[in-house]
Amino acid sequence: MAERLVVIGGDAGSMTAASQAKRMRTDLEVVALERGTRTSFAACGIPFFIGGEVPTLDSLVARTPDEHVARGIDVRLRHEVTEIDLGARSVRVRRLDQGDEVTIGFDQLVIGTGARPLRPPIPGLDDRSFVFGVQNLDDAEVLMHHARSIDARDVVVVGGGYVGLEMAEAFCHRGASVTVVDIAPQVMGTLDPDMAELIVAAMQGDGIEVRTSTQVEAVEPGRVHTSDGELPADLVVLGLGVTPNSELAGAAGLELGVRNAIRVDRQQRTSAAGIWAAGDCCESMHRVSGRPTFVALGTVANRQSRVAGINIGGGYATFPGVLGSAVTKICRTEVGRTGLNEREATEAGFRFDTARVQTTTRSRYFPGSTPITVKLLAERGTGRLLGGQIVGGPGSAKRIDTVATALWNGMHADELINLDLSYAPPFSPVWDPVQVAARQLA
């Protein structure tokens, strides 16, 4: 009998591992169990589909089930794993279309169950007739159909994280009146408050109302009740962030770590032999703080999944950790961040200095130049870079990759200053904005 690999989930945290392992071991039987109707999709593109910038949901599918099947992977859609039995080396699976349950044995298992949107116990928030989360493409399809059918005019987005703000932009593009409500004192908690303030000002300038330090108390059709009064709402979108979808693993007895994410080692092995995990359901190691962390990003999921696949396939690979590098766009404003913010650096025990500069994305005299604000953190005494944040106009966000590269290699502020970065007036001032900030720290 051929050795069988079962993967739970059909997206980045599992299918990259399945494909990699199958390429290395053609004799391996690979079974992929996905409760939805699509595989290998780009959930990060959903807000841009809602906003009309991406024409179809199928545009967001990187590899269809048929393409996986052609590569020797037995993909079973609408199959929801309900239990993992480590002793019996099997999973219990509910076949959603048939309405029955079956047991499937495995020799090795990859858990790629991802994360799920937070949905706090607020009265009315479970009314799925007009309250929507957007975890996958099926969710996006339902949301889009509903928004079109009612011609949504008043949209309330609950939560001010990446997804929440991107969904606010999407409905702003669709001509709706949009209000973002967040119980936190700022939007985008991965940024420092002074940088988050820039985002709020930009959103308000684009016609999006933002209410921070505001509690959603109840939701009912046509209205959202908050601690700051009532808001009209014919559509409510959840953007409260996500939590690891690790219940299956925990119930099976696998060790959980930070935020109840599945604990893994450098090879993506869990606490049980032959059981692997990758993606938004498991933890990572932060390269700057040296601490376990939970980072729900597709880039991380793909890299972790590839590491798991190489090891399952008989090779050797390790996952080197994360910086939490991320970029996004809210209307005309771009945002980038990497490494530690001030709160995270303090919690990790660092003493640090900060530098914050405001300059332009191009030479100031060149047409199309827009403002950019760069903030860097460096360890006090050594100058080692700890993190960076960028908020600005077009051409701003991807500059965070320069900071991420410096962090990855343990560079100090003075080394960043001396990097031989490119220059031409259409692309940058003579001194790149990131280097200007580094000069203040050196």
Side-chain angles (χ1 to χ4, degrees), residues 130-142:
F130 75 107
V131 180
F132 298 87
V134 282
Q135 182 180 11
N136 54 44
L137 301 195
D138 293 337
D139 295 336
E141 193 167 40
V142 171

Side-chain angles (χ1 to χ4, degrees), residues 235-259:
L235 180 65
V236 176
V237 181
L238 300 182
L240 290 160
V242 297
T243 189
N245 195 5
S246 58
E247 283 77 10
L248 274 175
L254 295 176
E255 186 177 351
L256 304 182
V258 61
R259 289 187 58 182

